[in-house]
Amino acid sequence: ARPGRQVGCGTLLCFRRAMEPPSVGSSPLPWSRLVVLLPAVMADALSVTVVCPFLPFMVQSLLRLPAEEEYKIGYYTGLLGGSYECGQILANPLWGYLADRHGRRPVMLVCLFMGSCLMLSLGLCRSFWFALALRFFQGVASGAMSVGRTCLSDITDSTNETRAFSLLGIVWGVGDIVGPSLGGLLSQPAEQYPSWMADRPGSVKDLLEACPYILPCAAVSAFGFLDFAMVLACLPE
């Protein structure tokens, strides 16, 4: 129990540190930029974690493995989950280069738009190998976090960067909590909420039965499109 208490206390201390008023001689936090950057970072966190509760069920529904081969579900789940990180590792240096060459704002816009489209496509996917490709390219498009950190360095100085980066870690942690919660609550509505499904129109019911993971993916996708609009409207270069 002691390590858990230490982690919780550390998070609270980071939050307290970020929220406390600036000391004499330190710059105030640039909240007008932070309220745009922090949701963009959370969009990446949601994309990483929303699939965690339903990924094994998704693998089984896409591959339809017979009972004697169900032991392979873990292998295919790991393959599908790890493809995101593979794309992320390969693409992040490129996003950093493009952000230095063409600016932070256009790169963040591209990443948010691509990631949102790919997340929605994942919810509609009916093929495992197509889902694998989508998840890989989602990782490729996950540059908002790394570019967001660069933006944060640009708009802070040595007197307030500690408080600003504390907020970045807190927002990512919130995304790590909200993402799996959405994935668990909204996936497979036909099995989880049969009475609610009974009242849906036929076309909606058919879609949710054919694509049981569309709701959590659509929720995260909508959040990403909202972040895209915020960055487009409110984040100067």
Side-chain angles (χ1 to χ4, degrees), residues 173-204:
V174 171
D176 282 348
I177 296 170
V178 174
S181 301
L182 284 176
L185 288 171
L186 299 181
S187 62
Q188 297 177 307
E191 286 77 14
Q192 291 202 78
Y193 314 110
S195 59
W196 179 83
M197 283 286 290
D199 297 331
R200 299 308 100 196
S203 58
V204 174

Side-chain angles (χ1 to χ4, degrees), residues 8 13 20 42 61 70 75 80-81 85-86 100 103 112 116 122 126 135 141 150 155 172 179 198 203 210 223 228 235:
L13 286 172
E20 66 185 12
M42 186 182 287
S61 66
E70 286 185 349
Y75 165 75
L80 188 57
E85 279 70 23
C86 289
D100 287 338
L112 288 168
S116 299
L122 182 68
R126 307 291 294 275
R135 197 66 181 148
T150 305
I155 63 176
W172 187 272
S203 58
F223 186 80
F228 173 85
L235 186 67

Side-chain angles (χ1 to χ4, degrees), residues 9-21 163 166 170:
C9 289
T11 303
L12 290 174
L13 286 172
C14 287
F15 183 76
R16 183 179 177 183
R17 171 64 176 161
M19 292 295 104
E20 66 185 12
R163 289 182 291 137
S166 295
I170 291 167

Side-chain angles (χ1 to χ4, degrees), residues 50-200:
V50 71
V51 302
C52 294
F54 63 75
L55 213 55
F57 302 99
M58 187 181 201
V59 167
Q60 174 61 1
S61 66
L62 294 176
L63 290 177
R64 301 189 181 279
L65 296 171
E68 63 272 14
E69 294 186 11
E70 286 185 349
Y71 67 91
K72 296 180 180 178
I73 291 176
Y75 165 75
Y76 287 111
T77 299
L79 192 65
L80 188 57
S83 61
Y84 183 99
E85 279 70 23
C86 289
Q88 192 175 47
I89 289 170
L90 292 174
N92 267 348
L94 175 63
W95 293 128
Y97 169 78
L98 292 175
D100 287 338
R101 188 174 180 85
H102 300 289
R104 313 326 188 194
R105 183 172 177 265
V107 171
M108 289 197 73
L109 288 171
V110 169
C111 290
L112 288 168
F113 185 80
M114 284 179 57
S116 299
C117 292
L118 291 165
M119 176 57 73
L120 187 60
S121 300
L122 182 68
L124 296 169
C125 188
R126 307 291 294 275
S127 161
F128 173 80
W129 300 108
F130 188 45
L132 186 70
L134 287 172
R135 197 66 181 148
F136 173 80
F137 285 109
Q138 273 187 279
V140 169
S142 66
M145 176 63 175
S146 57
V147 178
R149 285 178 174 173
T150 305
C151 288
L152 211 57
S153 297
D154 294 339
I155 63 176
T156 57
D157 54 41
S158 59
T159 65
N160 62 3
E161 64 182 6
T162 302
R163 289 182 291 137
F165 277 90
S166 295
L167 284 174
L168 199 68
I170 291 167
V171 166
W172 187 272
V174 171
D176 282 348
I177 296 170
V178 174
S181 301
L182 284 176
L185 288 171
L186 299 181
S187 62
Q188 297 177 307
E191 286 77 14
Q192 291 202 78
Y193 314 110
S195 59
W196 179 83
M197 283 286 290
D199 297 331
R200 299 308 100 196

